[in-house]
Amino acid sequence: MKRTAELKPYGPAPHVRPRDAATLILLRKSGGSTDILMGRRSDKLAFMPGMFVFPGGRTERADLTAPRTGSLHESDARRLVSGMGARGSLRRAEALAMAAIRETQEETGLLIGRNGQARGKTGHASWRPFAQSGVLPDLAAIRFLARAITPPGRVRRFDTRFFVADADHVTNPSELIANPAEELEEVRWIALSDMATVLMADITRTILGILEDRLRADPELSRDMPVPFIRAEHRRFVQTLE
């Protein structure tokens, strides 16, 4: 299935190559309500100022080798590898998921994984909070939800994979913080039913719609479900299923 929508004219940077990035949508279910963890970006930032976003960012080399536990769900791994083309590998697919987990910790303070790693201060600085807390990031805790590539013409372009996880996999739920140094000035749980009142980019709202569809069909995030892929073709937004 292929959906299209109008795309604004290209901007001043049509040839910027998109960089790999990953985002994590953390869910908290309680009393029939589903809350989403979101953060508000600083008004001073050039990219999406003042907007509410999901924690996320670019992949780093350390994401390839940092200690972890669990495995990506088989169908998710297959789709992630296939989407990379000739460069695809399971190692790079796992790095995307690891980046989503790491960025969530950096921006919100929350550790997604399992207790049991020996506590220590070694390892790459980006992953040190996990080592110091004795937590191993758990790849099995997250599911692949969607993929979107920033259209040509934008000064910054990202090839973003959106992941989703249940807050039950957070080992330190009481330690939620905002980290202005990592671009988020406010972090809070927002009910899905209240999203219409929240300032966010069109793509964020689109991903929330995809999430709602997924939760209706797969509330336990356990099924092999198609993954929407949003990108620009011939100056139009196109959404296909992978």
Side-chain angles (χ1 to χ4, degrees):
M1 181 175 62
K2 190 173 187 177
R3 300 177 184 174
T4 64
E6 293 293 336
L7 176 64
K8 294 179 182 178
Y10 287 178
H15 304 300
V16 174
R17 180 176 178 178
R19 301 185 64 176
D20 280 335
T23 288
L24 185 62
I25 305 171
L26 201 59
L27 310 176
R28 185 180 66 180
K29 301 176 183 178
S30 176
S33 174
T34 299
D35 301 334
I36 308 296
L37 186 65
M38 300 191 75
R40 183 175 59 81
R41 291 173 58 81
S42 169
D43 291 327
K44 300 177 182 179
L45 295 173
F47 185 68
M48 298 173 67
M51 298 282 187
F52 273 86
V53 298
F54 314 117
R58 296 190 299 269
T59 56
E60 297 181 359
R61 290 188 62 85
D63 300 332
L64 291 163
T65 57
R68 78 241 9 224
T69 189
S71 301
L72 292 171
H73 289 255
E74 183 179 356
S75 59
D76 290 349
R78 183 177 66 251
R79 289 187 174 95
L80 288 165
V81 172
S82 175
M84 297 176 190
R87 302 182 303 146
S89 69
L90 180 58
R91 187 182 183 208
R92 291 192 64 227
E94 289 185 349
L96 287 165
M98 290 287 283
I101 293 172
R102 173 183 51 74
E103 287 283 344
T104 298
Q105 186 282 319
E106 291 177 352
E107 296 182 352
T108 74
L110 299 184
L111 300 165
I112 297 166
R114 299 182 194 173
N115 290 304
Q117 177 177 233
R119 294 173 182 262
K121 298 181 180 181
T122 58
H124 193 277
S126 296
W127 286 98
R128 202 158 291 157
F130 285 84
Q132 292 174 336
S133 300
V135 174
L136 280 171
D138 186 5
L139 294 176
I142 64 177
R143 296 305 307 266
F144 185 24
L145 177 72
R147 178 185 179 189
I149 298 180
T150 311
R154 308 313 193 254
V155 175
R156 295 181 182 176
R157 299 185 67 210
F158 300 101
D159 186 349
T160 304
R161 283 72 164 189
F162 294 83
F163 297 93
V164 58
D166 193 288
D168 286 346
H169 296 286
V170 175
T171 64
N172 59 336
S174 64
E175 298 178 26
L176 178 64
I177 61 168
N179 188 349
E182 294 295 333
E183 303 179 349
L184 297 186
E185 293 192 340
E186 176 188 359
V187 175
R188 60 186 171 98
W189 293 98
I190 304 174
L192 261 176
S193 57
D194 293 337
M195 289 298 177
T197 65
V198 177
L199 180 65
M200 64 181 72
D202 290 343
I203 184 59
T204 307
R205 206 168 293 282
T206 296
I207 296 298
L208 282 171
I210 291 171
L211 173 65
E212 289 185 281
D213 290 343
R214 174 66 177 263
L215 291 175
R216 278 192 290 268
D218 181 25
E220 301 303 320
L221 300 174
S222 60
R223 294 175 52 194
D224 177 4
M225 300 288 292
V227 173
F229 178 21
I230 304 166
R231 62 199 183 280
E233 287 185 2
H234 309 296
R235 295 182 180 267
R236 296 180 69 87
F237 278 118
V238 172
Q239 183 179 143
T240 56
L241 295 177
E242 296 190 333

